[in-house]
Amino acid sequence: MRPIEVVARLGRWSSGRGPLYVLLAARLRQLIDDGDLPPGVLLPPDRALAGALAVGRTTVVAAYDLLRAEGRITRRQGSGTRVAGVPSGDPVDDAPVDPIFLDSLEARDDDVLLAVCAAPGDPPPQLADAFLTIAPELGRITDDIGYYPYGHPALRAALADRYAARGVPTTPEQIIVTNGGQQALSLLAQALLAPGDQVLVEAPTYPGALEVFREQGAVLRGLPVGLDGLETAIRERRPALAYVIPTYQNPTGAMMSALARQRVAAAGIAVIEDEVPADLGFPGAQQPVPIAAYGDTVISIGSLSKSIWGGLRIGWIRATPPLINRLARLRAVHDLGGNIPTQLAAVHLLPLLDGPELPRALKARHDHLYRQLTAALPTWEIPTVQGGQCLWVRLPCGDGVSFAQTALRHGLAVLPGAGLDITGAGTPYIRLHFRACPDALTEAVRRLTHAWSDYHPPTTHPHPRPTLAI
């Protein structure tokens, strides 16, 4: 594609706030994601595009580097810079795997197992009971238009009480209810980030968070799981915020110690504490005190989607009242407020988080998948976890992206580690979740075994042990 054609599609790309290279990357990202720059398209060379845009070559190079790190473009000497993927009609063997399959969020009627999105596919019977319970309450509503940008007062109060019971004194004014944890992340990114702001994230981490921060034009910097080296990174990078999953980390299942939680809370920057997996402990596990108990700069988010059912779009944010007020103004612009009947039902579902059924089911499915994997694929490195919903599996050779393509041809969707780790250290990994029913997990292992026997990795050399760093 000629530079003049790209320039025409870019439009007023430089009119926003932030460094030029971030603004340029953001506009190119949008064109790629919208399909205006389709897979396989050859982008202009650095100097040619810089000349057409009247910017320095380093601006274009930095923008391309951002997009390459995200997997949206490829850059090879002699082949130029191309949009990642393959043109329509070409073989798909080398097509990249999107970190979040859009169609994995939709119900499938084909024969693909283990959808990439790890969420319970069988809602508990208490879900229907909760809606039956609140039906009379809905019939008694009068003089209420039903718009609650902050969330329904009953659910805000119930969530505040739950935080207080976990050692984090909280008032309802510190809670806003959202449409799931993903909207919570999106609202926070809009409120706290400007293009070019740096965000510290664990490597690996939840890919949905990476996408949210990138959409805001943030520059992501990776730290080891648990945010080791946080203080040094703050001094050197001056980040706007840090994002961490301290309890049953997604995807590794790691648990942050109490001392590390205090260290993160005392770091002196805004910290988003993702507690969505925190209710997914196995039987006997003691739920640790949230990081928010140790500092006012910590923002906690939670959700019922991973613990109850993905279709129950209930999430929340706990923060200072001024930030909650700001988020509510943003929320009102988006959708005026969430679904009130669902929020009322959620009040009755919160006690399930502390019941015995969920931990027992999680442990049983984890053990089932682990036993079958270790028996069928003994060369794979498969650590156990004490909670959560995923196994972070290291392949003995090859890479997660190419193996995920092989697995997909065997009717199995797995998540390659490259999309979860901005440092590149996740390349030899795949993420497998154990939320499916035992029969589906058994069939998944069978298909994984066949896929591995058919897999032809790009290299047969064992993977070196990378050092996770910024």
Side-chain angles (χ1 to χ4, degrees):
M1 182 172 287
R2 293 181 300 170
I4 190 64
E5 295 174 352
V6 175
V7 170
R9 299 189 185 194
L10 286 172
R12 299 178 59 187
W13 64 272
S14 61
S15 60
R17 295 183 302 153
L20 286 178
Y21 79 95
V22 174
L23 298 176
L24 178 58
R27 179 58 180 151
L28 287 170
R29 182 187 300 115
Q30 183 180 15
L31 292 173
I32 292 169
D33 291 349
D34 290 345
D36 293 324
L37 294 175
V41 162
L42 181 65
L43 297 176
D46 309 341
R47 293 186 188 279
L49 184 56
L53 295 174
V55 299
R57 177 174 174 265
T58 56
T59 296
V60 176
V61 171
Y64 279 169
D65 284 347
L66 274 180
L67 295 173
R68 179 175 58 180
E70 297 171 10
R72 284 180 166 85
I73 66 173
T74 60
R75 283 164 68 77
R76 295 186 179 92
Q77 188 171 3
S79 300
T81 301
R82 294 183 181 273
V83 176
V86 292
S88 177
D90 285 4
V92 298
D93 287 0
D94 296 324
V97 178
D98 194 325
I100 303 179
F101 287 110
L102 179 60
D103 64 358
S104 76
L105 302 176
E106 297 283 352
R108 304 188 66 117
D109 56 5
D110 54 18
D111 199 30
V112 176
L113 290 178
L114 285 193
V116 172
C117 184
D122 44 357
Q126 292 92 333
L127 179 64
D129 295 340
F131 278 93
L132 291 174
T133 300
I134 61 105
E137 186 175 347
L138 294 176
R140 293 191 294 269
I141 293 177
T142 58
D143 297 325
D144 186 344
I145 61 174
Y147 293 141
Y148 290 93
Y150 291 89
H152 194 278
L155 182 54
R156 296 177 74 198
L159 290 168
D161 289 345
R162 194 161 191 276
Y163 273 108
R166 296 180 59 206
V168 190
T170 304
T171 66
E173 290 72 28
Q174 293 175 267
I175 300 289
I176 182 172
V177 179
T178 62
N179 285 330
Q182 193 67 21
Q183 188 187 55
L185 278 171
S186 181
L187 288 172
L188 286 168
Q190 291 177 60
L192 301 176
L193 294 176
D197 282 348
Q198 298 204 25
V199 177
L200 302 179
V201 299
E202 295 172 292
T205 191
Y206 168 53
L210 301 180
E211 291 299 312
V212 164
F213 298 143
R214 285 168 176 153
E215 284 298 316
Q216 289 300 120
V219 178
L220 304 180
R221 303 294 182 183
L223 292 175
V225 171
L227 295 183
D228 288 343
L230 177 63
E231 294 83 357
T232 300
I234 291 173
R235 288 195 303 270
E236 295 178 351
R237 302 289 181 178
R238 300 182 183 274
L241 61 86
Y243 169 76
V244 64
I245 309 174
T247 306
Y248 310 126
Q249 200 259 359
N250 182 359
T252 66
M255 178 76 77
M256 183 182 286
S257 69
L259 184 61
R261 291 169 190 252
Q262 296 175 44
R263 173 180 56 81
V264 169
I269 63 169
V271 175
I272 297 178
E273 171 190 28
D274 189 338
E275 281 215 306
V276 171
D279 296 303
L280 304 180
F282 294 167
Q286 294 295 318
Q287 194 176 57
V289 175
I291 301 177
Y294 303 111
D296 293 336
T297 60
V298 179
I299 304 158
S300 290
I301 66 173
S303 169
L304 295 182
S305 298
K306 303 301 184 184
S307 51
I308 306 296
W309 184 46
L312 189 70
R313 304 308 302 148
I314 294 292
W316 57 86
I317 301 169
R318 181 205 177 273
T320 61
L323 179 55
I324 293 296
N325 292 337
R326 185 179 176 190
L327 295 170
R329 290 193 293 270
L330 285 173
R331 171 72 185 279
V333 171
H334 281 273
D335 58 10
L336 304 180
N339 184 288
I340 294 306
T342 302
Q343 293 185 37
L344 293 174
V347 174
H348 298 276
L349 291 168
L350 282 177
L352 287 181
L353 303 182
D354 302 313
E357 293 87 357
L358 177 61
R360 284 200 297 259
L362 287 170
K363 179 69 161 58
R365 295 185 181 190
H366 164 273
D367 292 351
H368 183 87
L369 180 60
Y370 180 80
R371 282 195 302 268
Q372 300 222 355
L373 279 176
T374 53
L377 297 160
T379 62
W380 287 18
E381 186 176 314
I382 311 168
T384 60
V385 296
Q386 297 303 310
Q389 56 194 349
C390 305
L391 295 178
W392 185 236
V393 177
R394 182 183 176 92
L395 304 176
C397 60
D399 65 90
V401 171
S402 60
F403 176 68
Q405 289 296 323
T406 302
L408 200 57
R409 291 194 290 272
H410 286 263
L412 190 73
V414 299
L415 190 61
L420 289 72
D421 192 325
I422 65 168
T423 68
T427 299
Y429 289 85
I430 59 173
R431 192 191 79 173
L432 300 175
H433 76 78
F434 47 83
R435 301 305 301 270
C437 66
D439 288 345
L441 293 174
T442 297
E443 176 62 15
V445 173
R446 187 186 72 80
R447 297 187 189 187
L448 273 175
T449 305
H450 286 299
W452 186 247
S453 66
D454 290 346
Y455 177 53
H456 301 290
T459 176
T460 57
H461 298 294
H463 296 294
R465 292 279 178 182
T467 300
L468 297 183
I470 294 178

